[in-house]
Amino acid sequence: MPPLALAAAFGGGTALLAHAIRRHSPFEVDVAMRAEVHRHVSPRTRSALAPLFALGLPGGYITIAYATAWWLRERRRAGGPAIVTSAWLGWLVHRGVKVVYKRKRPRIPGVRKRIDSYPSGHTTGATSLAVTSALVLRRHRVLSKTATLAIGIGAPLAMGAYRVIDDEHWTTDVIGGWLLGSSIALVCDALLRDAGPELVRPVRRTVAASAARA
């Protein structure tokens, strides 16, 4: 299936799931998964996953996107703009979706009630960045297939699992984040795959040019 068609399918899946959530929330799978997590996940595991919180914030994954784009530019590889754009859209698009679709988050003792549960923003941002990065890095063969699979699949899975384990989101919020993030990634990679380093300023060349003119 062409990437843009697949992206449209993922985006449609995000919307269909949101529509279903409006009619019936939470689903049985959400309640059952939450019960299993509370039953089997230890406080030590929750603490070990806590650093993912900062990485899933816009300041975390957008910074990683710029660093990755700079790394590619230093190796004269295209794809940096796709990675940076996917990170920004992962944040902006999921915020827009939350304005339209309201859903209560799981009840967490000591935390005020919130209605911005769908989709998981951490999962959306991490997925959009990770999938785009994996596609770009694999295409340029700068990392092994195993490493790119770990980035493109492992990172979104870890972030999604963390958001459920931390009791911040329902399982279907995470699924929505995977779908939306993947859709964003496929669009960015398809439209910007050949773009050069326009979004990452070539600092070294600028300094060298300034020195030559001095």
Side-chain angles (χ1 to χ4, degrees):
M1 181 181 293
L4 290 179
L6 188 57
F10 284 146
T14 307
L16 288 174
L17 182 55
H19 179 71
I21 286 170
R22 273 185 167 178
R23 299 183 60 185
H24 180 77
S25 180
F27 296 107
E28 290 183 6
V29 66
D30 291 318
V31 176
M33 185 62 71
R34 185 169 185 252
E36 286 297 308
V37 166
H38 282 293
R39 187 177 299 116
H40 297 293
V41 177
S42 67
R44 181 176 297 179
T45 300
R46 295 177 192 271
S47 298
L49 293 173
L52 291 177
F53 177 79
L55 293 177
L57 293 174
Y61 60 80
I62 291 175
T63 300
I64 293 172
Y66 275 102
T68 305
W70 176 85
W71 186 81
L72 284 167
R73 180 186 64 78
E74 288 295 291
R75 285 153 182 77
R76 298 184 179 181
R77 300 289 195 277
I83 291 173
V84 171
T85 303
S86 72
W88 278 102
L89 289 180
W91 173 50
L92 294 171
V93 174
H94 102 263
R95 294 307 306 172
V97 174
K98 285 178 183 288
V99 171
V100 178
Y101 295 101
K102 305 296 183 182
R103 188 188 199 187
K104 293 179 181 178
R105 293 199 181 206
R107 185 172 299 175
I108 308 172
V111 179
R112 65 182 177 83
K113 184 184 296 183
R114 295 176 60 176
I115 56 172
D116 60 347
S117 196
Y118 182 86
S120 165
H122 278 65
T123 306
T124 303
T127 301
S128 60
L129 171 60
V131 172
T132 308
S133 298
L135 290 170
V136 171
L137 295 173
R138 183 55 185 165
R139 183 161 57 248
H140 292 307
R141 300 184 184 277
V142 294
L143 293 180
S144 68
K145 183 177 181 180
T146 301
T148 52
L149 285 175
I151 293 171
I153 298 177
L157 286 176
M159 185 61 76
Y162 160 65
R163 298 310 280 164
V164 174
I165 289 172
D166 202 41
D167 212 17
E168 283 281 0
H169 286 283
W170 302 104
T171 299
T172 45
D173 295 333
V174 168
I175 294 173
W178 286 332
L179 290 171
L180 182 57
S182 297
S183 177
I184 293 169
L186 289 168
V187 169
C188 289
D189 185 63
L191 299 182
L192 297 171
R193 63 185 300 164
D194 296 323
E198 291 85 356
L199 296 183
V200 184
R201 186 175 180 82
V203 177
R204 189 164 60 191
R205 293 181 184 176
T206 302
V207 173
S210 299
R213 290 194 299 268

